[in-house]
Amino acid sequence: MLFHRCPAAGRARQCFHALKLIKKDCLQSLRVSRCASTAAVPRITTHYTIHPRDKDKRWEGVNMERFAEEADVVVVGAGPAGLSAAIRLKQLAAEHSKEVRVCLVEKASQIGAHTLSGACVEPRALEELFPDWKERGAPLKTPVTEDKFGILTETSRIPVPILPGLPMVNHGNYIVRLGHLVSWLGEQAEALGVEIYPGYAAAEVLFHEDGSVKGIATNDVGIQKDGAPKATFERGLELHAKVTVFAEGCHGHLAKQLYKRYNLRENCQPQSYGIGLKELWTIDKTKWKPGRVEHTVGWPLDRHTYGGSFLYHLNEPEPLVALGFVVGLDYQNPYLNPFREFQRWKHHPSVQPTLEGGTRIAYGARALNEGGIQSIPKLTFPGGLLIGCSPGLLNVPKIKGTHTAMKSGMLASEAIFSRLTNENLQSKTIGLDVQEYEENLKKSWVWKELYAVRNIRPSCHTVLGVYGGMIYTGIFYWILRGMEPWTLKHPGPDYAQLKPAKDCTPIEYPKPDGKISFDLLSSVALSGTNHEDDQPPHLTLKDDSVPVSRNLAVFDGPEQRFCPAGVYEYVPLETGEGSRLQINAQNCVHCKTCDIKDPSQNINWVVPEGGGGPAYNGM
């Protein structure tokens, strides 16, 4: 049975509009936060997820009632997966003359503003979703015309042939600015009747008494940095649905809660991740080769540190290139700094000439899943399901996940629609458990593709490191196409791979020259990142004492190096004895690296007030 539009819909939109006005009044320019304390362990975390409001006298008498509204399906996250799911649902509803209400919430202030990827896209899923995507004006302007791969040493580049059938082949693919593609998908979704609410972060999962997912609640607004309510405090909104689709992207903070509640990771390996850093440059037109795709492995990383680079030439009105560097977050040396490795890479003799005389115009970073099929959790549970990069559907050796994410969203919607319109539906729980989605995904080309490449990433864990992975790919994948009768395993969670500082050699990085390489804070400024200053830091600590007592003492404070935005900083105590951790939450680009790589697993990333974060333009 379908939900119909209720008279309260207008009131809900008024609430969303009111929250927008409050948020607009509160926004301030980016600046570094400073907090001081004379306590033995300075208080850092003030967020209600760590310090409950029902035990805080400042919240006595505050109205905590939330307005609630019903939908058929709620989608969390407006990336390629979430938007494809919403679009497919409305397509099916139109084809069958059914009324299905689909609401989508997105934490970015604009659709696409938090999207970051290389990106070289395989259009297979897009063609299935919109066979007429070219006529509709989808922003895929740069077909791949040249494909290059190489191994870097400190002074040279060794070309590696890309044999037909290898996952790195990009013939038929398109270089895109993924944020622009996501924005276009948002326009298509709205035209079909999807209700999209940008600037509203899903902060909480709601549950029925029978344990099934009831929906989500958006974040509260109007809370001071110290955790007290402001005069402008407003409770978030509840959105209830028969099915809630979680499409948060890599390492979603709600998905983490669902893994634990429903034990979704019981039968899979720990997820493995990478951190991807990216810049956009305008370059000398004589060096511009629209359609050229270049990838490298090797220098400046050693063979035991997984990673590599990309350099894509875009066909835009101006001579634009997208370049980036990925470092596997299972690295061992706590002195490694992914941002500075990226800056150092740009000075390689095969890279620097392309950038000389050019101008850097954008910067950003995002974590990505690298675990492959071994690390995919159970995808369905009563009242909800996981799609896209949230469960980890990235094809790692292809360095592509947009097509698999989109297809997962489409398959999810087809299964959901079938359940919603089943007149003989009998459900054990109020929230529907759409198990057919996972069954259909495992029958699709997505699963076949991920299964075939399942051993490539873990093959890099041998004594030969990354080069062992290349040998494995050349022998076993190229010949057997993933049909080998074994499945390799990952060594364990990424955070557990970090070695104590005393067992590692500090890494000396060259100073940036301000022309090719740059410092961190000027880079963050190019991301457009902004958060309301007077709100509790959304980088929460389970125990405020752990950063100094363990992370700094044992690992020399790795968070000050693995964060690509300068959020974490160890500063001297006011007494002059010892240090304290300072969290510059306004700098956060929402990459989730800290939540993943923290060796103490003490950092818990939660959503800030909706609309905060980076403001990427076609990243």
Side-chain angles (χ1 to χ4, degrees):
M1 180 178 180
L2 302 183
F3 283 115
H4 297 284
R5 293 181 184 275
C6 65
R11 296 202 305 274
R13 294 188 186 91
Q14 290 176 0
C15 290
F16 275 116
H17 181 66
L19 286 173
K20 283 183 179 179
L21 294 177
I22 293 168
K23 199 166 44 175
K24 184 177 180 181
D25 291 341
C26 293
L27 285 175
Q28 298 180 10
S29 60
L30 172 69
R31 61 180 179 273
V32 176
S33 64
R34 300 288 171 183
C35 58
S37 173
T38 58
V41 178
R43 183 167 180 175
I44 302 170
T45 303
T46 59
H47 201 274
Y48 71 88
T49 55
I50 303 296
H51 301 285
R53 292 183 289 212
D54 58 0
K55 298 178 182 179
D56 189 337
K57 291 184 178 181
R58 297 174 299 177
W59 286 88
E60 290 180 359
V62 176
N63 181 10
M64 301 299 286
E65 183 180 357
R66 283 193 291 222
F67 181 84
E69 191 168 357
E70 306 288 341
D72 292 302
V73 178
V74 168
V75 181
V76 179
L83 286 166
S84 296
I87 288 168
R88 187 67 186 128
L89 268 169
K90 296 301 284 188
Q91 286 177 336
L92 290 167
E95 290 169 12
H96 294 84
S97 300
K98 299 290 186 179
E99 180 68 24
V100 178
R101 187 177 183 202
V102 182
C103 293
L104 185 152
V105 294
E106 163 59 35
K107 63 184 175 66
S109 59
Q110 295 181 336
I111 302 301
H114 286 182
T115 299
L116 184 144
S117 182
C120 186
V121 170
E122 184 175 313
R124 183 174 185 175
L126 179 62
E127 289 171 350
E128 293 182 16
L129 186 63
F130 289 117
D132 60 344
W133 61 268
K134 291 182 180 180
E135 292 75 13
R136 288 173 175 263
L140 279 70
K141 305 173 184 177
T142 312
V144 174
T145 58
E146 187 180 0
D147 217 348
K148 301 176 71 176
F149 187 80
I151 300 172
L152 299 186
T153 67
E154 188 170 356
T155 58
S156 63
R157 182 182 186 278
I158 304 169
V160 176
I162 303 176
L163 301 175
L166 288 177
M168 296 82 77
V169 172
N170 281 295
H171 178 73
N173 297 334
Y174 290 80
I175 306 169
V176 304
R177 300 174 70 175
L178 192 61
H180 289 172
L181 176 58
V182 165
S183 179
W184 178 85
L185 286 171
E187 294 171 1
Q188 308 308 305
E190 285 193 306
L192 287 166
V194 178
E195 298 175 35
I196 300 179
Y197 299 104
Y200 295 93
E204 181 183 346
V205 183
L206 306 174
F207 300 95
H208 291 289
E209 290 184 2
D210 64 4
S212 61
V213 171
K214 185 178 184 179
I216 59 94
T218 63
N219 57 299
D220 298 342
V221 296
I223 306 173
Q224 295 176 181
K225 182 179 288 187
D226 64 3
K230 299 178 183 177
T232 56
F233 172 76
E234 287 285 343
R235 201 78 161 106
L237 296 169
E238 293 189 4
L239 287 172
H240 302 167
K242 284 288 187 183
V243 182
T244 303
V245 179
F246 294 89
E248 300 173 278
C250 176
H251 206 66
H253 87 289
L254 296 183
K256 287 197 308 173
Q257 300 171 34
L258 295 166
Y259 294 153
K260 294 179 181 178
R261 184 178 183 97
Y262 296 109
N263 203 18
L264 301 178
R265 303 202 67 88
E266 180 182 16
N267 297 313
C268 70
Q269 294 178 35
Q271 185 59 263
S272 186
Y273 301 89
I275 173 65
L277 305 105
K278 179 182 177 180
E279 294 176 351
L280 289 178
W281 284 63
T282 55
I283 61 170
D284 186 328
K285 199 168 186 177
T286 60
K287 305 173 184 177
W288 182 40
K289 310 292 182 183
R292 174 183 286 181
V293 167
E294 301 181 53
H295 294 102
T296 70
V297 296
W299 188 89
L301 302 177
D302 62 35
R303 72 176 187 274
H304 296 297
T305 304
Y306 185 83
S309 74
F310 65 86
L311 178 58
Y312 302 156
H313 293 247
L314 288 141
N315 184 21
E316 297 276 331
E318 55 185 349
L320 195 69
V321 295
L323 59 150
F325 202 80
V326 176
V327 178
L329 288 177
D330 56 355
Y331 68 82
Q332 298 179 337
N333 189 340
Y335 294 109
L336 189 145
N337 186 315
F339 172 81
R340 299 188 75 174
E341 295 289 352
F342 176 31
Q343 299 306 307
R344 180 160 65 167
W345 165 79
K346 290 187 291 178
H347 285 283
H348 191 272
S350 69
V351 179
Q352 182 167 330
T354 300
L355 304 179
E356 287 177 339
T359 303
R360 187 178 66 149
I361 61 173
Y363 165 81
R366 186 69 170 92
L368 57 148
N369 300 291
E370 292 185 346
I373 207 167
Q374 298 94 317
S375 301
I376 295 176
K378 188 177 187 301
L379 300 175
T380 64
F381 41 91
L385 47 82
L386 302 165
I387 63 173
C389 286
S390 179
L393 301 181
L394 176 76
N395 184 324
V396 182
K398 264 190 180 183
I399 327 173
K400 291 172 183 60
T402 301
H403 65 303
T404 51
M406 292 179 66
K407 181 62 175 179
S408 72
M410 295 157 64
L411 289 169
S413 289
E414 289 163 6
I416 290 169
F417 185 79
S418 178
R419 293 295 297 273
L420 287 175
T421 55
N422 183 355
E423 295 180 357
N424 299 316
L425 174 65
Q426 292 183 343
S427 177
K428 295 180 181 179
T429 56
I430 300 174
L432 300 181
D433 190 355
V434 190
Q435 298 182 24
E436 297 87 348
Y437 155 58
E438 185 163 356
E439 296 167 3
N440 294 342
L441 184 69
K442 290 182 177 179
K443 297 175 185 175
S444 74
W445 56 258
V446 172
W447 206 258
K448 181 180 179 181
E449 181 179 310
L450 295 180
Y451 183 81
V453 300
R454 71 194 182 282
N455 287 327
I456 294 179
R457 174 66 175 92
S459 69
C460 297
H461 295 305
T462 67
V463 67
L464 296 176
V466 174
Y467 304 114
M470 293 180 66
I471 294 170
Y472 186 97
T473 303
I475 296 176
F476 291 102
Y477 179 82
W478 196 61
I479 296 174
L480 299 177
R481 291 296 192 270
M483 297 304 292
E484 60 267 33
W486 60 80
T487 296
L488 302 178
K489 293 183 178 182
H490 300 290
D494 291 342
Y495 68 85
Q497 308 311 308
L498 209 61
K499 293 181 177 179
K502 65 180 179 60
D503 297 333
C504 299
T505 303
I507 302 173
E508 295 294 330
Y509 291 101
K511 292 183 178 180
D513 65 0
K515 297 178 181 179
I516 302 297
S517 53
F518 301 89
D519 66 90
L520 186 56
L521 291 183
S522 67
S523 301
V524 176
L526 288 177
S527 71
T529 298
N530 183 49
H531 294 87
E532 155 62 33
D533 178 38
D534 190 17
Q535 65 172 307
H538 63 283
L539 296 312
T540 70
L541 304 177
K542 299 172 187 176
D543 184 337
D544 286 348
S545 70
V546 165
V548 171
S549 66
R550 185 167 191 267
N551 285 14
L552 184 61
V554 179
F555 302 98
D556 198 44
E559 55 269 67
Q560 61 190 329
R561 287 180 286 273
F562 60 58
C563 174
V567 170
Y568 300 95
E569 183 180 3
Y570 284 95
V571 298
L573 283 170
E574 287 71 11
T575 61
E577 297 180 3
S579 301
R580 63 177 174 85
L581 180 66
Q582 178 171 281
I583 296 181
N584 306 313
Q586 294 93 329
N587 290 12
C588 179
V589 294
H590 296 201
C591 74
K592 314 291 182 67
T593 303
C594 58
D595 196 307
I596 296 165
K597 189 60 175 174
D598 175 16
S600 303
Q601 287 298 280
N602 186 51
I603 298 172
N604 185 42
W605 192 100
V606 299
V607 290
E609 288 190 3
Y616 298 139
N617 178 13
M619 287 286 275

